[in-house]
Amino acid sequence: MLHLIKALPKRHKILAGGVAALLGLLLFLPSEDAEATRAHDGLQVGQRYPLAVAVQPQASQPLAAPEWQWQGQTVKSGDSLAKLFDRAGVSARVLHELLQDLGKAGRPLTELRPGEKLEFAKAEDGSLAALRYSPSRTEQLLVNKGDKGFSLESREIPVEHHEQFATNTISSNFWNAGVDAGLSPNIIDGIADILGYDIDFALELRRGDSFAVLYDQDYIDGDFIGDGKIQAVTFVNQGQLFQAVRHSDGNYYTPQGKSLRKAFLRSPVNYKYISSSFNPHRLHPVTGKVRPHNGIDYAAKVGTPVYASGDGRVMKSAYSSLNGNYVFIKHGEKFVTKYLHLSKRLVKAGQAVHQGQLIGKVGATGRVTGPHLHYEFLVGGVHRNPRTVKLPEAQPVPAAELAAFKAHAQELLARLGTQQRIMVAMK
Ligand SMILES: [Zn+2]
């Protein structure tokens, strides 16, 4: 659930990729002749055509000889670069030379994983002319043998982003509503990650809640390669509207530029494991009565992961007959969170923990009738409802970028609203 926190977004590389792609074109065009023929397909004499035929740049040096035959070698477990080269019929001496010539730049070649493919091209005399490798779907490395030995060029493969829209109203649970709307697990989890600081997806969703999302689907050369980033999402939870828009720094903010990230996650367990999402009058698992008590109970199977809701230091990790296995975490001077009835404790007193870190597993230890996590949130020693407490927030959009961000957010949310109205009208 918590990849959002850890995964710092990669910069968009499209612009930089443009130059590389141009280079790549020079590198990878099958041949000038083939291209020219294709461009003239279907032309008829005596008719005017727009000058859409690309001007072929004069390649001053042969970057990639068209007659190269690529021969692939798939990395098997236990393989070494030497073994791969050997299978491709290239000597260890050439490999040594190649690695020496490339220096640091050749590093990706030494970090191949099983299943990946290395492609070899040989010159007419059978010597190694080039080597090709894709560290990811969007990147290709080409090693060339030139007058000055081997050199490496990296090509960014341009990714096209196609905007997608989805919306739904929740009738059974969020996961099903997402699947029904055609969303992939990544996007469903992404929405819960982005809004998981404000909404307790485990306990506070209600029938009739709704969401709408704009997200990217990524294509390379017209082929769908997967879902991209969520660009904007709105969520109505118990009548309250939450909105999040992605900024160019990869983080999500409200349309006003305030960070969605907060010092505490709303739920210390992933909503997907929670059995009683829609019971607004949860019975206390011990007394069997509806009664306010100092904590929030998450009914889940024994072994369900429990996460630290915020950065902090473990105050206690122990066992008592009432609490069972329990962990208390202190967050700065003001805040304490408590996690009770665990089957397993995975942290020790004094240990620093970060938000989203696995600290234990749900259990049924102590005074309980069934497995659940009892979670408490204390401010200045007093039990509080984390939903209504004002919590420290992460940095907002920098002042210099705020006006541009707000305009962008408005545009996205307007588009999202329009789409939503169209969908509603179609129903
Ligand atoms: Zn409880």
Side-chain angles (χ1 to χ4, degrees), residues 290-367:
V290 178
R291 65 164 180 118
H293 76 311
N294 286 334
I296 305 167
D297 293 325
Y298 295 92
K301 283 191 190 128
V302 171
T304 298
V306 175
Y307 305 106
S309 56
D311 293 346
R313 194 166 287 279
V314 178
M315 287 166 71
K316 282 185 177 175
S317 172
Y319 178 89
S320 78
S321 55
L322 267 182
N323 294 348
N325 284 309
Y326 64 93
V327 170
F328 294 174
I329 300 176
K330 195 168 158 55
H331 312 269
E333 287 307 303
K334 265 170 74 182
F335 300 94
V336 169
T337 54
K338 300 184 175 182
Y339 312 79
L340 275 53
H341 313 311
L342 304 172
S343 59
K344 270 208 179 88
R345 289 179 278 119
L346 300 170
V347 288
K348 293 194 176 89
Q351 186 182 333
V353 290
H354 57 81
Q355 187 175 62
Q357 183 175 334
L358 184 65
I359 56 166
K361 302 279 181 73
V362 169
T365 58
R367 191 175 161 238

Side-chain angles (χ1 to χ4, degrees), residues 284-285 293 295-297 341 372-375:
H284 188 266
H293 76 311
I296 305 167
D297 293 325
H341 313 311
H372 74 284
L373 172 73
H374 173 104
Y375 174 62

Side-chain angles (χ1 to χ4, degrees), residues 91-169:
S91 74
R93 186 185 51 78
V94 172
L95 168 61
H96 181 75
E97 195 184 311
L98 181 145
L99 287 176
Q100 201 130 60
D101 287 353
L102 297 186
K104 260 191 194 163
R107 196 138 174 213
L109 292 177
T110 63
E111 293 166 351
L112 298 174
R113 286 166 302 233
E116 292 188 318
K117 209 162 107 182
L118 202 57
E119 292 178 290
F120 296 81
K122 301 220 178 124
E124 263 172 21
D125 63 1
S127 66
L128 180 65
L131 198 63
R132 191 158 77 167
Y133 166 59
S134 296
S136 70
R137 291 199 77 157
T138 57
E139 203 182 344
Q140 193 171 58
L141 302 178
L142 185 85
V143 177
N144 249 321
K145 174 93 189 243
D147 296 341
K148 292 173 196 155
F150 289 101
S151 63
L152 181 140
E153 301 203 47
S154 163
R155 176 199 179 205
E156 198 80 38
I157 298 167
V159 177
E160 283 170 50
H161 305 292
H162 295 207
E163 190 173 81
Q164 293 290 315
F165 170 81
T167 184
N168 209 353
T169 299

Side-chain angles (χ1 to χ4, degrees), residues 123-329:
E124 263 172 21
D125 63 1
S127 66
L128 180 65
L131 198 63
R132 191 158 77 167
Y133 166 59
S134 296
S136 70
R137 291 199 77 157
T138 57
E139 203 182 344
Q140 193 171 58
L141 302 178
L142 185 85
V143 177
N144 249 321
K145 174 93 189 243
D147 296 341
K148 292 173 196 155
F150 289 101
S151 63
L152 181 140
E153 301 203 47
S154 163
R155 176 199 179 205
E156 198 80 38
I157 298 167
V159 177
E160 283 170 50
H161 305 292
H162 295 207
E163 190 173 81
Q164 293 290 315
F165 170 81
T167 184
N168 209 353
T169 299
I170 297 166
S171 56
S172 61
N173 63 52
F174 175 55
W175 182 264
N176 289 346
V179 171
D180 287 348
L183 296 178
S184 68
N186 274 349
I187 300 294
I188 300 174
D189 284 341
I191 293 172
D193 281 350
I194 292 165
L195 297 173
Y197 299 90
D198 289 305
I199 301 171
D200 181 345
F201 279 79
L203 293 183
E204 288 175 354
L205 298 194
R206 295 291 177 265
R207 192 166 284 116
D209 282 0
S210 62
F211 66 87
V213 60
L214 278 181
Y215 65 101
D216 293 336
Q217 288 196 325
D218 294 346
Y219 288 78
I220 290 179
D221 290 336
D223 291 331
F224 175 65
I225 59 159
D227 286 333
K229 304 287 185 226
I230 292 172
Q231 297 298 345
V233 57
T234 63
F235 204 110
V236 178
N237 174 226
Q238 301 189 34
Q240 194 181 345
L241 173 67
F242 297 91
Q243 294 174 306
V245 174
R246 186 175 190 271
H247 186 39
S248 51
D249 64 5
N251 294 317
Y252 292 85
Y253 299 89
T254 69
Q256 291 75 38
K258 287 170 72 177
S259 180
L260 265 294
R261 284 196 203 185
K262 297 194 175 63
F264 294 93
L265 291 163
R266 285 302 319 283
S267 166
V269 288
N270 189 305
Y271 72 97
K272 278 181 279 187
Y273 296 110
I274 299 303
S275 28
S276 58
S277 303
F278 274 140
N279 183 355
H281 307 290
R282 286 188 310 285
L283 300 182
H284 188 266
V286 173
T287 62
K289 287 179 189 154
V290 178
R291 65 164 180 118
H293 76 311
N294 286 334
I296 305 167
D297 293 325
Y298 295 92
K301 283 191 190 128
V302 171
T304 298
V306 175
Y307 305 106
S309 56
D311 293 346
R313 194 166 287 279
V314 178
M315 287 166 71
K316 282 185 177 175
S317 172
Y319 178 89
S320 78
S321 55
L322 267 182
N323 294 348
N325 284 309
Y326 64 93
V327 170
F328 294 174
I329 300 176

